[in-house]
Amino acid sequence: MPAYLTIVLVWSTTPLAISWSAETMTPVAALGLRMLLAAVVGWVMLYVLAIKISWERDAVRTYAFSQLGIVAAMLCVYSASQFIPSGLISVLFALAPLLSGVFAYFVLSENNFTPDRIAAFLVSFIGLCVICLDGVVVSGEGYKGVLFLLLGVSLYSFSGVKVQQIGFQGNPLATTVGSVVMSVPLFGFAW
């Protein structure tokens, strides 16, 4: 139960943190600093817990495909935050499980689309359409934010499926820190 509550807390507050940080500096700088901080904290945690980052072939491939979800997707999300409210970011990111299922169907040959899941998707999709057509997105430059966000969610979902396809079985904390450490130079380059 604590893990579930932590996930809900992180995912429900992340879009708000994105919006706030993007107000005080450029989105790329805010994101790069956030990842640098995460890399430092993660590295310290690995040191304290005596966990080593793996640099074997599958580990590096995992870190590399993670960059689609960390660097590319997050740059899209931070860019979207300039055009749409944080609540809409949360709602549209709810498409991630569906898109992951679609990518898993094509990349991993998994078919998780039962009639119940298809019905749930249709209801959710109609709800998302109602929210998006409520004037927030269609007015002004909101469509840019939606397009950035849809690209970001797609990259995030594809990244997760490709990481699953590689099947690297390393320590989860070390894998996450390795991926974040690898992303820091890319954010510096993007900045």
Side-chain angles (χ1 to χ4, degrees):
M1 188 66 149
Y4 175 76
L5 292 175
T6 301
I7 298 234
V8 168
L9 180 66
V10 167
W11 278 103
S12 62
T13 57
T14 295
L16 185 59
I18 290 170
S19 292
W20 284 349
S21 63
E23 287 178 6
T24 57
M25 58 183 70
T26 67
V28 177
L31 184 54
L33 288 174
R34 180 178 172 200
M35 290 303 144
L36 178 61
L37 178 63
V40 170
V41 169
W43 205 271
V44 169
M45 288 176 65
L46 290 178
Y47 179 77
V48 169
L49 298 171
I51 299 172
K52 299 211 181 293
I53 293 179
S54 174
W55 295 106
E56 67 181 69
R57 182 178 185 268
D58 280 347
V60 172
R61 287 182 63 221
T62 298
Y63 306 154
F65 274 108
S66 295
Q67 299 317 300
L68 288 174
I70 297 173
V71 178
M74 291 306 287
L75 284 172
C76 290
V77 172
Y78 270 68
S79 296
S81 72
Q82 297 177 10
F83 303 105
I84 58 177
S86 62
L88 188 56
I89 292 173
S90 296
V91 170
L92 289 177
F93 227 92
L95 289 171
L98 167 74
L99 291 174
S100 294
V102 170
F103 288 128
Y105 179 80
F106 290 106
V107 175
L108 304 174
S109 300
E110 291 181 1
N111 187 3
N112 296 318
F113 294 106
T114 62
D116 290 346
R117 289 183 179 178
I118 291 171
F121 162 71
L122 290 174
V123 169
S124 301
F125 186 73
I126 290 168
L128 285 172
C129 289
V130 168
I131 290 171
C132 290
L133 296 175
D134 192 27
V136 174
V137 174
V138 228
S139 63
E141 295 183 310
Y143 71 93
K144 290 180 184 177
V146 171
L147 292 176
F148 274 127
L149 194 57
L150 290 176
L151 177 60
V153 173
S154 298
L155 291 168
Y156 173 81
S157 300
F158 182 72
S159 170
V161 170
K162 287 302 286 183
V163 165
Q164 184 180 352
Q165 184 183 37
I166 294 168
F168 176 65
Q169 297 295 318
N171 178 287
L173 179 60
T175 303
T176 301
V177 173
S179 297
V180 171
V181 165
M182 195 179 237
S183 75
V184 171
L186 297 173
F187 285 117
F189 178 74
W191 186 34

